[in-house]
Amino acid sequence: MSIIPSAASQLYNAADFSQGVAYIAGEYLPLKNASIPMTDRGFVRSDATYDVVHVWNGRFFRLDNYIDRFHRSMAGFRMSIKESKDELKAILHECVRRSGLRNAYVQMTCTRGVPKPGSRDPRECINQLTCFAQPFVWIANEQQREEGLSMIISSTQRIPPESVDPRFKNFHWLDLTMAVFEAYEKGAIVPVLPDRDGHITEGPGFNIFSVRNGRIVTPDRGVFEGMTRRTVIELAPELQIACEVRPLKAAELHDADEIFITSTAGGIMPVTRLDGRQVGDGRPGRIARAIHDLYWRRHEEGWKATEIDYGTAS
Ligand SMILES: Cc1ncc(COP(=O)(O)O)c(C=O)c1O
């Protein structure tokens, strides 16, 4: 397998690449020109898995961990790709290099593939890898990150883990998306979804932490095990903050001193309103701020970072 760009992909100039670069079937092309076949089960059945790693200041964050997680998701959904982990790393690197982006949102996706004519047997599909790099995406804008987000606990329940295992990253987002509509209708920005027992799970693209008496709590089940969540769990002891990973009741979230959410797309972001009432004193909390600062300081220091060699973008 070659990751060397073909003559066709070199036809595009650097300007085309600056808003995003995609990799499909051995080709690098501007993201806006990239598409997958319409009958790929990834499109018609949400039969796909993916992962998203970020690049900050020209360096991937925790790249090997993200790639390992992508492989776990593929195995979880009985998928595999022909590219090795090293080849995948080289492809992601090349997408970012060609975009020239220093801060980027980098996605790797495996779709089930196009079924054989007349076949409904997923085993007959050849799973397909596609990747792209685009400018860094923030779940919350600057003002929201500064002032804190307004959240609701949605009436829509998260898909149960017994149906679709949320530890394997997937496109089954309609529960999350319907909850976003409800949040907007109620004047909030983001929803968090409960499970059928009233435990808090997660929201569209993020995990949640509640803070009470200086201790942080994040749900243990029914959630995607986010890399940012993992990073917070790892960094908390450095700040002498106790962290519990256990079921989190909605009532507990209502009693929280602080709430924050975590995502590759933005890091650690405070929530200052829940279900129309202020959280704590209504301002971003001290603990969320401390973890936020340490998270970004580690980025500046190059902790768990992989440098990108931009060379001369062709
Ligand atoms: C459903 C869901 N939960 C949590 C997260 C946060 O995970 P990470 O910190 O790895 O971005 C994501 C990220 O996209 C997600 O889609």
Side-chain angles (χ1 to χ4, degrees):
M1 203 221 89
S2 165
I3 59 145
I4 307 297
S6 73
S9 67
Q10 287 178 11
L11 285 176
Y12 298 107
N13 62 32
D16 286 320
F17 283 136
S18 69
Q19 287 312 301
V21 173
Y23 170 88
I24 299 183
E27 298 286 331
Y28 293 91
L29 63 165
L31 183 53
K32 64 177 167 41
N33 298 101
S35 58
I36 62 162
M38 219 181 265
T39 54
D40 189 314
R41 287 177 56 112
F43 179 64
V44 291
R45 296 278 185 271
S46 297
D47 191 350
T49 187
Y50 72 114
D51 217 304
V52 176
V53 56
H54 66 271
V55 168
W56 195 253
N57 283 341
R59 296 189 282 228
F60 281 107
F61 185 62
R62 307 194 74 143
L63 180 58
D64 289 318
N65 297 140
Y66 280 98
I67 287 181
D68 287 345
R69 187 174 67 176
F70 180 51
H71 270 258
R72 282 197 299 277
S73 292
M74 285 192 288
F77 290 135
R78 298 169 175 239
M79 292 176 173
S80 62
I81 49 175
K82 62 181 185 310
E83 294 81 359
S84 67
K85 286 187 180 180
D86 282 343
E87 284 170 335
L88 172 57
K89 240 187 262 186
I91 290 165
L92 297 175
H93 194 111
E94 182 64 11
C95 285
V96 180
R97 189 191 75 77
R98 292 179 73 89
S99 74
L101 292 165
R102 304 284 150 170
N103 299 326
Y105 175 105
V106 184
Q107 181 161 326
M108 56 207 102
T109 307
C110 177
T111 53
R112 186 75 61 192
V114 174
K116 289 201 174 141
S119 168
R120 294 176 68 83
D121 184 343
R123 296 171 302 182
E124 292 185 352
C125 295
I126 298 171
N127 307 158
Q128 300 294 328
L129 173 72
T130 54
C131 302
F132 66 83
Q134 67 177 9
F136 191 83
V137 171
W138 297 90
I139 282 194
N141 65 33
E142 209 174 333
Q143 190 186 353
Q144 291 162 348
R145 297 199 303 276
E146 222 26 70
E147 294 174 2
L149 290 154
S150 174
M151 170 181 275
I152 59 151
I153 300 175
S154 68
S155 59
T156 304
Q157 289 173 10
R158 187 77 176 109
I159 295 175
E162 294 79 9
S163 300
V164 179
D165 192 331
R167 292 171 307 165
F168 310 136
K169 205 165 164 66
N170 61 73
F171 288 161
H172 290 263
W173 264 59
L174 282 171
D175 53 347
L176 299 166
T177 302
M178 290 304 106
V180 169
F181 275 95
E182 186 181 343
Y184 289 150
E185 276 155 19
K186 292 183 170 166
I189 304 291
V190 284
V192 67
L193 285 72
D195 67 12
R196 62 181 169 214
D197 302 319
H199 290 114
I200 297 297
T201 63
E202 58 189 340
F206 60 81
N207 293 110
I208 189 161
F209 286 76
S210 117
V211 184
R212 183 78 178 150
N213 298 327
R215 301 172 78 81
I216 62 177
V217 181
T218 194
D220 59 341
R221 70 186 294 277
V223 301
F224 180 57
E225 294 172 350
M227 201 61 74
T228 326
R229 170 183 178 270
R230 174 173 164 184
T231 304
V232 169
I233 294 167
E234 288 172 5
L235 293 180
E238 286 190 42
L239 296 165
Q240 276 81 51
I241 297 169
C243 178
E244 297 169 21
V245 181
R246 61 162 171 78
L248 176 67
K249 278 276 185 199
E252 224 182 311
L253 198 62
H254 279 127
D255 277 348
D257 300 327
E258 295 181 31
I259 298 172
F260 61 90
I261 60 171
T262 61
S263 173
T264 296
I268 288 91
M269 293 159 280
V271 173
T272 47
R273 289 188 77 77
L274 180 66
D275 287 337
R277 291 199 304 270
Q278 68 179 37
V279 176
D281 64 5
R283 284 179 307 193
R286 187 179 52 83
I287 288 189
R289 165 61 60 187
I291 296 172
H292 166 280
D293 291 353
L294 182 56
Y295 176 83
W296 288 109
R297 195 157 69 242
R298 286 287 177 269
H299 279 69
E300 300 304 325
E301 292 164 0
W303 183 68
K304 296 185 187 288
T306 306
E307 199 82 36
I308 291 159
D309 177 6
Y310 288 88
T312 46
S314 51

